[in-house]
Amino acid sequence: MGNKGVFLDRGIVTTIVVLCLIPFLLQNSFHYEIAIMCMLNAVICIGLNMLVGYTGQISLGHGAFAGLGAYVAVVLSTTFEFDPVLSIIVSVIVLAALAFFISKPVLKLEGHYLAMATLAVGIIISIVLTNEDELTGGPDGMGVSEFHILGYVFENDIQWYILSAIFLVFSIWALQNVVNSPFGRILRCIRDSETAAKAIGADVPYYKTYVFVISVVIATIAGSLYSYYTGFISPEESGFMRSIELVVMIVFGGLGRIYGAVFGAIIITALPQFLTFLHDYEHMVFGAIIIFVMIFMPKGIVSLFDVLKVEKKEPKKDNT
Amino acid sequence: MVELLQYSFGGLTVGFIYALVGLGFTVIYNSSKIINFSQGEFVMIGGMAAVFLSYAKFPFVLAFPLAIILSALLGYMLFKLVSMSSNSSVTSLIILTLGYSIFVRGASQVGFDKQMHTLPAFISDTPISIFGATITPQAILVIVVSLCIVTGLYYLFNKTKIGKAMLATADNKDAAKLVGISVKKILIMNFMISAGIAAIGGIVLTPITSTNYEIGIMLGLKGFCAAIIGGIGNPFGAVFGGVVLGILESFVAGYLSSEYKDAVAFIVLLLILFFFPGGLFGAKKSTRV
């Protein structure tokens, strides 16, 4: 088996074409905001999917990591007047160190215990962010300085759209190359049977830590960019519900599927915007949709495409 | 000294509420090995339903059982949904119960409302003074009710045939079926009992802490911490965990910082998971390949 990296394949080309066409549909700032939110969430989900979908390690704390990462970057550049790019780099280093530090005891756990431990870490982060109001502005949040890369200031929606789109395409491309590499195969092996992975000589804790740190770093970058884009940050973005939302996105889209995370992120991000006409019924409908998908499409939304594919290519497939 | 006693009373009261929530986790876990992330919502529904029934001029003796039945029905519905789901991986069950909790919270927002509500104390409002510290009769009621429930559960699981059938179901569903246990009935019973216990917790705590549609989130998480501290699956463990947690929280709030009170449960949870993964009373577990 050749392990040549994928440079461009049908999926990526389609994604790029779609991303180029979408701006023609966006009519106002609000539409752009939803589109950018969808893309940055998709990026976080791609990283999270690598951890949950490919390696089989659930995390209910990634919203908090994204929020904390955003806070570190934003506080550095707003309060201490660091360069925004430098702030994000520092934030990435801090969060990577944190993730590395906690990964060892946390990732030893499995199943519900792992879920609860990551959730606990997330809630502690969120409580700290809410209470350290001298730095973070407390529950009311804080304004964020403008974002520029080497003096080029990002100020309008189209610039942010392009930046997010590039980031998204790059993430999809990177994930695709990772999962199809020997590294990716070991990750899937860990998911399917940790004992088997150990038996073939894989250093399981090393791989788990590696993926955990990478997913936290991706969340940090995407979370920071989102705060720079909106010009505002509040502890709500690191809350319990945010972390849940992220996991719902990837499960909804399809665990362990490259485009699963992307579709899930887009649908779950955009759906509440379309459900606002339901007013108070919004949450109820949202919960019902999650339940419905979990019961009738346990493999996620992208499994719908598989049905189409199977019908086209292998019409006479039988289960022998 | 009076301060210490006062904080302990406060902690005990909250602790027994956590214990009731933790017991709910224990009951479902004991028969199905599922951690129900919507447990907190059953607590909330119990309290809210009792409040609104009493607004509708129902006397307490009618309102409370109805609230408990409503919650138990929601437990039954959750069982139906869980058994409809073909994929029983841990992740999808977690998402399913989380989805259910969002649904129930949303439904409560529509069916009831978003305001804070409270009930008058059931017995009397006059605090009782013990060595200078005070405790309300309602708090004593919470403690007594919790102790009764845990004793009842202990009796149920260890002394009755049905309880033994429940434990057998948890241990091995197929073997349980072979000896003639109706696994489905047992599971339904457990989901309903669990939701019912949670609702009782929600009702007795309402006069103390008030209630609204959002209280379930934190209560559920802390109840889970309680269950883990004591080793999940053990009713007395859940009570012990709840009490320890409640008292710790109350001391931290009193002596250290009230802002970080909510973090205590999660720090304790992490320490327990890292150092005693089976809970303080749990046995070491090994996985079969």
Side-chain angles (χ1 to χ4, degrees):
Chain A
M1 278 201 278
N3 285 314
K4 268 187 284 175
V6 184
F7 181 60
L8 280 175
D9 72 348
R10 216 167 42 175
I12 291 185
V13 172
T14 316
T15 312
I16 293 173
V17 171
V18 170
L19 285 174
C20 290
L21 291 176
I22 284 178
F24 293 105
L25 297 172
L26 304 175
Q27 284 146 6
N28 54 39
S29 222
F30 177 62
H31 290 167
Y32 269 101
E33 189 180 335
I34 297 176
I36 292 167
M37 213 156 79
C38 285
M39 289 191 284
L40 291 177
N41 276 339
V43 170
I44 300 182
C45 286
I46 286 172
L48 188 60
N49 196 14
M50 206 163 119
L51 180 71
V52 186
Y54 287 96
T55 321
Q57 310 298 311
I58 192 169
S59 164
L60 297 181
H62 263 60
F65 291 125
L68 178 64
Y71 261 107
V72 173
V74 158
V75 168
L76 281 177
S77 70
T78 310
T79 316
F80 299 101
E81 296 181 345
F82 274 46
D83 181 79
V85 177
L86 182 67
S87 309
I88 294 184
I89 294 173
V90 174
S91 167
V92 163
I93 295 170
V94 172
L95 264 288
L98 175 75
F100 179 77
F101 180 70
I102 61 167
S103 69
K104 209 177 165 200
V106 168
L107 292 174
K108 251 197 295 189
L109 305 164
E110 48 190 48
H112 290 113
Y113 293 102
L114 177 64
M116 275 322 230
T118 48
L119 190 151
V121 171
I123 291 182
I124 293 170
I125 290 176
S126 155
I127 291 175
V128 172
L129 289 176
T130 312
N131 287 323
E132 294 304 313
D133 44 7
E134 280 177 24
L135 271 176
T136 64
D140 299 334
M142 61 186 278
V144 173
S145 63
E146 64 172 15
F147 185 73
H148 55 85
I149 297 177
L150 302 171
Y152 179 78
V153 184
F154 283 74
E155 50 193 357
N156 63 36
D157 292 329
I158 296 164
Q159 289 169 321
W160 277 106
Y161 181 89
I162 294 170
L163 182 69
S164 317
I166 292 173
F167 193 21
L168 175 62
V169 172
F170 173 75
S171 310
I172 295 175
W173 172 79
L175 179 75
Q176 212 157 42
N177 280 300
V178 168
V179 296
N180 292 323
S181 70
F183 183 85
R185 280 196 287 277
I186 293 180
L187 296 187
R188 271 172 286 169
C189 180
I190 293 175
R191 173 190 67 191
D192 297 335
S193 164
E194 226 177 289
T195 319
K198 277 182 194 147
I200 57 166
D203 183 355
V204 173
Y206 164 83
Y207 283 94
K208 282 189 192 172
T209 303
Y210 200 101
V211 175
F212 187 67
V213 171
I214 290 195
S215 67
V216 168
V217 165
I218 294 174
T220 300
I221 302 174
S224 311
L225 286 178
Y226 183 67
S227 299
Y228 281 114
Y229 164 65
T230 55
F232 177 76
I233 188 167
S234 81
E236 217 170 283
E237 277 154 50
S238 67
F240 170 61
M241 282 319 286
R242 170 77 175 140
S243 297
I244 301 301
E245 207 179 72
L246 290 173
V247 179
V248 167
M249 286 174 188
I250 54 171
V251 177
F252 194 87
L255 275 179
R257 302 288 300 264
I258 292 168
Y259 290 93
V262 179
F263 278 106
I266 292 170
I267 294 171
I268 301 284
T269 311
L271 193 64
Q273 313 294 342
F274 295 114
L275 290 182
T276 44
F277 73 91
L278 294 168
H279 301 293
D280 289 342
Y281 291 88
E282 191 189 321
H283 287 111
M284 220 172 126
V285 174
F286 188 59
I289 292 174
I290 294 172
I291 298 171
F292 180 84
V293 171
M294 287 324 296
I295 292 176
F296 298 105
M297 284 182 272
K299 286 186 178 147
I301 291 282
V302 281
S303 62
L304 290 179
F305 296 107
D306 297 348
V307 177
L308 297 177
K309 249 188 212 164
V310 170
E311 277 171 2
K312 260 188 212 161
K313 284 183 185 169
E314 306 159 67
K316 283 173 195 163
K317 193 185 175 191
D318 56 9
N319 294 320
T320 39
Chain B
M1 196 55 211
V2 172
E3 224 177 24
L4 183 79
L5 201 61
Q6 188 64 61
Y7 292 148
S8 308
F9 285 164
L12 265 183
T13 316
V14 187
F16 273 99
I17 290 170
Y18 295 159
L20 279 179
V21 187
L23 281 173
F25 278 105
T26 299
V27 171
I28 288 190
Y29 184 83
N30 260 356
S31 64
S32 63
K33 295 277 180 276
I34 292 173
I35 306 274
N36 170 23
F37 278 75
S38 51
Q39 198 66 34
E41 308 312 323
F42 295 147
V43 181
M44 179 272 291
I45 285 292
M48 290 297 270
V51 166
F52 276 79
L53 284 168
S54 73
Y55 285 170
K57 304 275 181 261
F58 278 83
F60 281 178
V61 278
L62 258 177
F64 294 171
L66 282 176
I68 295 168
I69 291 169
L70 175 67
S71 179
L73 286 177
L74 286 172
Y76 175 72
M77 208 166 119
L78 176 65
F79 167 78
K80 275 286 168 207
L81 293 171
V82 168
S83 58
M84 271 161 84
S85 143
S86 52
N87 182 346
S88 58
S89 80
V90 172
T91 312
S92 34
L93 283 176
I94 290 175
I95 302 294
L96 183 62
T97 57
L98 280 171
Y100 192 65
S101 80
I102 295 173
F103 174 78
V104 173
R105 212 177 306 138
S108 154
Q109 202 177 324
V110 179
F112 303 126
D113 61 16
K114 297 185 194 174
Q115 311 300 319
M116 284 305 275
H117 295 282
T118 188
L119 283 171
F122 304 159
I123 309 170
S124 98
D125 274 330
T126 337
I128 300 162
S129 175
I130 302 172
F131 300 120
T134 55
I135 185 165
T136 59
Q138 185 68 28
I140 297 175
L141 184 74
V142 168
I143 296 171
V144 172
V145 167
S146 315
L147 288 175
C148 289
I149 289 178
V150 69
T151 319
L153 281 180
Y154 178 79
Y155 182 79
L156 176 73
F157 279 124
N158 292 291
K159 305 282 183 220
T160 63
K161 237 181 169 177
I162 288 183
K164 284 180 182 159
M166 287 173 181
L167 292 178
T169 308
D171 208 43
N172 188 330
K173 271 187 196 148
D174 298 324
K177 263 184 208 156
L178 281 177
V179 295
I181 295 169
S182 166
V183 170
K184 198 179 152 198
K185 268 189 198 151
I186 294 287
L187 287 175
I188 290 177
M189 222 182 281
N190 273 355
F191 273 79
M192 292 180 79
I193 291 176
S194 169
I197 292 174
I200 295 176
I203 295 169
V204 292
L205 80 83
T206 303
I208 300 175
T209 62
S210 301
T211 187
N212 76 350
Y213 77 105
E214 272 186 318
I215 61 152
I217 305 177
M218 259 309 174
L219 272 175
L221 293 172
K222 288 186 178 167
F224 180 81
C225 293
I228 288 285
I229 292 173
I232 192 146
N234 176 348
F236 282 108
V239 173
F240 174 82
V243 171
V244 167
L245 194 59
I247 290 181
L248 259 180
E249 244 185 24
S250 165
F251 283 178
V252 167
Y255 292 114
L256 295 172
S257 136
S258 56
E259 283 113 7
Y260 282 98
K261 169 178 90 76
D262 281 338
V264 174
F266 301 101
I267 293 170
V268 174
L269 175 68
L270 283 178
L271 292 177
I272 296 278
L273 287 176
F274 293 167
F275 298 110
F276 304 94
L280 287 179
F281 306 126
K284 278 217 159 185
K285 106 181 175 342
S286 55
T287 21
R288 247 181 23 189
V289 181

